[in-house]
Amino acid sequence: MRRQVDFLIIGSGIAGLSYAIKVAEFGKVLIVSKTSINETSTWYAQGGIAAVMYNPDTYEKHIKDTLAAGNFLNDEKIVRLTITESTERVKELIEWGTHFDVEESGRYALAREGGHSEFRVLHHQDKTGAEIQRALAEKVTSHPNIEILENHFTIDIITQHHLGRIVRRTNTDIQCFGAYVLNPETGEIDTVLARTTLIATGGAGNVYQTTTNPTISTGDGIAMFYRAKGIVDSMEFIQFHPTSLYNPHEKPSFLITEALRGAGAILKDIKGKEFMERYDKRGSLAPRDVVARAIDSEMKLSGADHVYLDARSIPEREIMHHFPSIYAKCLGLGINILKEMIPVVPAAHYICGGIRTDEWGRTSIHNLYASGEVAATGLHGANRLASNSLLESVVFSHRASLDAVRLNKTTEIQSGIPDWNAEGTVLNEEMVLITQSRKELQSIMSNYVGIVRSNLRLKRALDRLAIIHRETEELYERSVVSTEICELRNMISVAYLIIKFASQRKESIGLHFSIDYPPVKQ
Ligand code: FAD
Ligand code: SIN
């Protein structure tokens, strides 16, 4: 089937939906979502969205915290514009129907998380993402100009390459004409032609064994963009959240929000002793890279599979009011967090790098924008400040929408695009090979490219990955295209990029820590 739209959006999280609401006033919109509209990282976000709301907080303080968390590798211009636009974008979410918690005084209740010098995180209990996603999805599904294609998998963006022209990585004139989209149920591949396209495919946590990310987060957008010879950035900076619930075999790992530490919960070792003060004077509320490394080190010292988070000092009323989902989840596993400590372990959580974009969400490929976790805007530098990600998504989707509306007026739909060549055979053994390779890849990344890295570990990872890469490409050439094989290829590309960027960084900074380059003491 061939489709033609003004705006194509790949992804239905906060980045895709907030952009859709804006551009839908100017043309026909198609949103492609891999599974259901709400199965996104956005839905799982707990802590909230950071924004400057009241005195004594200021834009300067939020900017300073963001730069400090990012070890000053951030792009300061991007940091400034993101933070100074934070209040406006949050007010817009509220206008669109998002309910954030309010104090008795009528002011929004603000939480504090690691690395923040002020209380500035707007939240909806401990399920902020679900509330934002609900509000956005309601608006989008009732809009006459927006069509949503759920359970459809975008395989590749369409560029000159598909017109039979050779596209080189150094080419600065690559154009995007839309995307090829698979309906996994029928096996049909649609050719979707668009004037402009937004990639909003989220993160890539599933390249690791333990992750807070839903299963949809396999780095598809980064991989398809890289295949199209676009420029990616900062791929070495993978954020491990210090506190996911230790519950082996549960996928995704259940997050224990940092806001719980903001409310007073303290990290303790396996014997119940505090340890964070030995690593950082900010204790349990130090930035995530510091806390995750400290936990990793404590676990290696004790040989235990987890540490504890002690929330027993937080009043019952506050737990029930602000953290009802965490309370219920733990209770379901037999842990009463009012009386018992919570076993926690770090988990892959967020990719700071991705598709390089400018201040308008523009990528190195013409007519193609990126926003949300898939993008590397320069906001996060070497480490993302908690709750800055939902904010980044709304700021850059807004900016990209302004630019795309302008560009759409002068951009024609490309003619002569061929349909996808769907030749191939179904191999009986295919599924088991794909599943096994996926597990091997996750094991390589967790063992050699995790919180603590070294030159030797990275080399070993690359050597092992090369074997899986070769085997997968052979399989891909012979078989009928499927979501599973495409995801595996994408995860291999993303893993390769993480290893490559990590190998090139000859220092320990922020989320990239190598024992071969000990951090310089300040
Ligand atoms: P997502 O919300 O992940 O949406 C991605 C979309 O792309 C999905 O619709 C998916 O189906 C689609 N997609 C992907 N690949 C394809 C494909 N090949 N074809 C078609 N569709 C595709 N950040 C904060 O700021 N504050 C928080 O409190 C917070 N808490 C978090 C808690 C958890 C457990 C997690 C996992 C993350 C949290 N984050 C938080 C990070 C934040 O939620 C994400 O970075 C953000 O929601 C990403 O939004 P997005 O729109 O870019 O991607
Ligand atoms: C959390 O609630 O701890 C997650 C916040 C984030 O990832 O920004």
Side-chain angles (χ1 to χ4, degrees):
M1 182 173 173
R2 287 176 87 82
R3 293 167 179 269
Q4 208 165 298
V5 292
D6 296 308
F7 302 93
L8 170 63
I9 301 172
I10 311 170
S12 62
I14 186 170
L17 297 187
S18 62
Y19 174 91
I21 292 168
K22 304 210 159 194
V23 296
E25 302 309 312
F26 301 91
K28 203 170 150 206
V29 178
L30 179 71
I31 303 174
V32 186
S33 181
K34 202 163 158 176
T35 58
S36 68
I37 182 171
N38 288 335
E39 183 57 5
T40 60
S41 276
T42 302
W43 178 271
Y44 291 88
Q46 291 188 357
I49 180 164
V52 175
M53 298 299 285
Y54 312 114
N55 276 333
D57 200 8
T58 61
Y59 291 133
E60 279 311 313
K61 285 185 191 170
H62 192 176
I63 289 167
K64 203 172 147 209
D65 293 345
T66 302
L67 291 169
N71 289 258
F72 303 93
L73 272 198
N74 330 52
D75 179 335
E76 189 170 340
K77 182 182 89 180
I78 294 292
V79 174
R80 287 194 169 274
L81 73 84
T82 307
I83 306 298
T84 51
E85 291 173 20
S86 65
T87 323
E88 208 180 327
R89 294 282 74 78
V90 160
K91 285 185 177 161
E92 193 167 55
L93 283 176
I94 295 167
E95 274 164 34
W96 287 344
T98 309
H99 299 296
F100 293 115
D101 290 353
V102 176
E103 288 174 351
E104 277 168 18
S105 65
R107 282 161 61 117
Y108 284 101
L110 303 175
R112 193 172 153 202
E113 294 177 8
H116 287 274
S117 59
E118 289 290 346
F119 286 77
R120 65 166 71 99
V121 180
L122 291 109
H123 54 274
H124 178 96
Q125 297 181 327
D126 52 1
K127 38 194 174 206
T128 311
E131 171 58 13
I132 295 175
Q133 180 85 30
R134 177 203 61 74
L136 297 181
E138 264 176 40
K139 265 194 99 62
V140 160
T141 46
S142 60
H143 200 295
N145 272 356
I146 304 178
E147 186 188 350
I148 303 156
L149 216 48
E150 291 182 292
N151 301 308
H152 276 66
F153 184 90
T154 307
I155 305 170
D156 263 324
I157 53 166
I158 302 171
T159 63
Q160 291 97 322
H161 167 83
H162 297 98
L163 290 167
R165 299 186 200 142
I166 294 172
V167 180
R168 296 187 198 287
R169 201 157 285 287
T170 48
N171 190 340
T172 54
D173 200 26
I174 307 170
Q175 278 175 284
C176 174
F177 308 123
Y180 289 116
V181 177
L182 167 72
N183 178 346
E185 211 175 281
T186 61
E188 275 173 44
I189 297 166
D190 292 353
T191 306
V192 182
L193 301 174
R195 291 180 206 276
T196 51
T197 300
L198 172 79
I199 300 186
T201 47
N206 285 285
V207 299
Y208 289 91
Q209 276 167 336
T210 308
T211 178
T212 61
N213 291 189
T215 51
I216 54 109
S217 305
T218 50
D220 299 344
I222 300 173
M224 66 181 87
F225 180 79
Y226 183 68
R227 270 197 297 278
K229 311 264 192 297
I231 299 175
V232 297
D233 207 355
S234 305
M235 291 292 291
E236 68 273 43
F237 297 121
I238 304 295
Q239 185 169 72
F240 287 79
H241 197 291
T243 56
S244 80
L245 180 64
Y246 174 70
N247 184 23
H249 311 305
E250 178 174 357
K251 277 181 190 276
S253 298
F254 183 80
L255 186 76
I256 306 291
T257 177
E258 198 158 306
L260 201 66
R261 275 176 281 139
I266 302 284
L267 283 159
K268 297 195 169 163
D269 68 14
I270 198 75
K271 292 190 176 138
K273 277 181 67 179
E274 290 183 31
F275 59 86
M276 270 313 301
E277 298 292 338
R278 279 193 276 119
Y279 295 87
D280 193 291
K281 64 176 186 316
R282 289 163 289 187
S284 293
L285 269 185
R288 279 186 195 166
D289 55 333
V290 177
V291 182
R293 264 196 310 278
I295 296 176
D296 187 67
S297 156
E298 287 297 310
M299 284 166 51
K300 281 183 180 141
L301 282 173
S302 69
D305 290 338
H306 61 81
V307 293
Y308 284 111
L309 185 63
D310 188 349
R312 291 175 295 185
S313 65
I314 304 174
E316 180 170 352
R317 195 179 158 278
E318 186 166 355
I319 293 280
M320 297 308 177
H321 183 68
H322 191 166
F323 306 107
S325 313
I326 292 176
Y327 174 78
K329 171 74 187 181
C330 291
L331 200 62
L333 295 171
I335 306 161
N336 180 347
I337 68 170
L338 299 171
K339 297 188 178 136
E340 290 158 284
M341 296 193 290
I342 311 165
V344 291
V345 67
H349 182 61
Y350 185 85
I351 183 160
C352 293
I355 299 176
R356 186 194 286 176
T357 57
D358 68 6
E359 72 268 37
W360 298 105
R362 291 181 293 215
T363 71
S364 61
I365 297 184
H366 297 290
N367 310 337
L368 182 66
Y369 298 83
S371 176
E373 191 165 337
V374 74
T377 60
L379 174 67
H380 308 307
N383 181 25
R384 176 180 68 104
L385 185 67
S387 290
N388 261 358
S389 163
L390 294 172
L391 173 64
E392 179 189 42
S393 303
V394 281
V395 167
F396 286 94
S397 285
H398 169 74
R399 292 183 142 259
S401 76
L402 297 178
D403 203 77
V405 166
R406 261 194 310 259
L407 185 64
N408 259 43
K409 291 185 185 139
T410 54
T411 307
E412 297 300 324
I413 299 277
Q414 178 71 32
S415 58
I417 302 288
D419 284 336
W420 181 269
N421 178 357
E423 279 172 20
T425 47
V426 183
L427 305 172
N428 289 336
E429 57 184 356
E430 189 180 314
M431 269 318 288
V432 66
L433 295 180
I434 294 170
T435 313
Q436 195 49 37
S437 294
R438 189 176 165 125
K439 283 187 190 154
E440 279 174 33
L441 171 119
Q442 290 167 331
S443 152
I444 291 168
M445 292 303 285
S446 299
N447 290 325
Y448 304 129
V449 201
I451 295 173
V452 176
R453 301 163 179 176
S454 73
N455 290 337
L456 191 62
R457 289 180 206 180
L458 292 177
K459 179 174 181 315
R460 188 171 276 203
L462 201 58
D463 291 347
R464 304 277 195 280
L465 190 70
I467 299 169
I468 304 178
H469 175 251
R470 183 177 40 77
E471 290 170 352
T472 306
E473 287 307 300
E474 282 169 13
L475 201 58
Y476 181 76
E477 291 303 320
R478 287 182 292 152
S479 49
V480 164
V481 97
S482 66
T483 300
E484 291 78 10
I485 186 107
C486 289
E487 280 188 348
L488 176 60
R489 285 184 89 214
N490 291 341
M491 289 163 74
I492 291 170
S493 296
V494 170
Y496 166 75
L497 288 168
I498 297 170
I499 299 167
K500 190 179 116 180
F501 274 74
S503 306
Q504 284 167 357
R505 187 164 287 285
K506 308 287 183 205
E507 63 180 334
S508 285
I509 185 164
L511 298 164
H512 175 72
F513 186 93
S514 168
I515 54 177
D516 293 312
Y517 309 101
V520 184
K521 290 254 184 317
Q522 302 284 334

Coordinates of all heavy atoms in Angstrom, one line a residue, residues 1-4 190-193 414-419:
M1 N 0.8 -1.2 0.0 CA 0.0 0.0 0.0 C 0.9 1.3 0.0 O 1.9 1.3 0.7 CB -0.9 0.0 1.3 CG -1.8 1.1 1.4 SD -2.9 0.8 2.9 CE -3.7 2.3 3.0
R2 N 0.5 2.2 -0.8 CA 1.2 3.5 -0.8 C 0.4 4.6 -0.1 O -0.8 4.7 -0.3 CB 1.5 3.9 -2.2 CG 2.6 3.1 -2.8 CD 2.8 3.5 -4.3 NE 3.8 4.5 -4.5 CZ 5.1 4.4 -4.5 NH1 5.6 3.2 -4.3 NH2 5.9 5.4 -4.7
R3 N 1.0 5.3 0.8 CA 0.3 6.4 1.6 C 1.1 7.7 1.3 O 2.3 7.7 1.1 CB 0.4 6.1 3.1 CG -0.4 4.9 3.5 CD -0.1 4.6 4.9 NE -0.8 3.5 5.5 CZ -1.9 3.6 6.1 NH1 -2.5 4.8 6.3 NH2 -2.5 2.5 6.6
Q4 N 0.4 8.8 1.4 CA 1.0 10.1 1.2 C 0.4 11.0 2.3 O -0.8 11.2 2.5 CB 0.5 10.6 -0.1 CG 1.5 11.5 -0.7 CD 1.3 11.7 -2.2 OE1 1.3 10.8 -3.0 NE2 0.9 12.9 -2.6
D190 N 4.2 -1.0 3.8 CA 3.7 0.2 3.2 C 4.8 1.1 2.8 O 5.8 1.2 3.5 CB 2.8 0.9 4.1 CG 1.5 0.1 4.4 OD1 1.3 -0.9 3.7 OD2 0.7 0.6 5.3
T191 N 4.7 1.8 1.7 CA 5.6 2.9 1.4 C 4.9 4.2 1.8 O 3.8 4.6 1.2 CB 5.8 3.0 -0.2 OG1 6.3 1.7 -0.6 CG2 6.8 4.0 -0.5
V192 N 5.4 4.9 2.8 CA 4.7 6.1 3.3 C 5.6 7.3 2.9 O 6.7 7.4 3.3 CB 4.6 6.1 4.9 CG1 3.9 7.4 5.3 CG2 3.9 4.9 5.4
L193 N 5.0 8.1 2.0 CA 5.7 9.3 1.5 C 5.2 10.5 2.3 O 4.0 10.7 2.5 CB 5.4 9.5 0.0 CG 5.8 8.3 -0.9 CD1 5.4 8.5 -2.3 CD2 7.3 8.0 -0.8
Q414 N 8.1 13.4 -2.9 CA 9.1 12.8 -3.9 C 8.4 11.8 -4.8 O 7.7 10.9 -4.3 CB 10.3 12.2 -3.2 CG 11.3 11.6 -4.1 CD 12.1 12.6 -4.9 OE1 12.3 13.7 -4.5 NE2 12.5 12.2 -6.1
S415 N 8.6 11.9 -6.1 CA 8.0 10.8 -7.0 C 9.1 9.8 -7.3 O 10.3 10.0 -7.0 CB 7.5 11.5 -8.3 OG 8.6 12.1 -8.9
G416 N 8.6 8.7 -7.8 CA 9.6 7.6 -8.3 C 10.2 6.7 -7.2 O 11.1 6.0 -7.4
I417 N 9.6 6.8 -6.0 CA 10.1 5.9 -4.9 C 9.5 4.5 -5.1 O 8.3 4.3 -5.2 CB 9.6 6.4 -3.5 CG1 10.0 7.9 -3.3 CG2 10.0 5.5 -2.4 CD1 11.5 8.1 -3.0
P418 N 10.4 3.5 -5.2 CA 10.0 2.1 -5.4 C 9.4 1.5 -4.2 O 9.7 2.0 -3.1 CB 11.3 1.4 -5.8 CG 12.4 2.2 -5.2 CD 11.9 3.6 -5.1
D419 N 8.5 0.5 -4.3 CA 8.1 -0.2 -3.1 C 9.2 -1.1 -2.6 O 10.2 -1.3 -3.3 CB 6.9 -1.0 -3.5 CG 5.6 -0.2 -3.6 OD1 5.6 0.9 -3.0 OD2 4.7 -0.6 -4.3

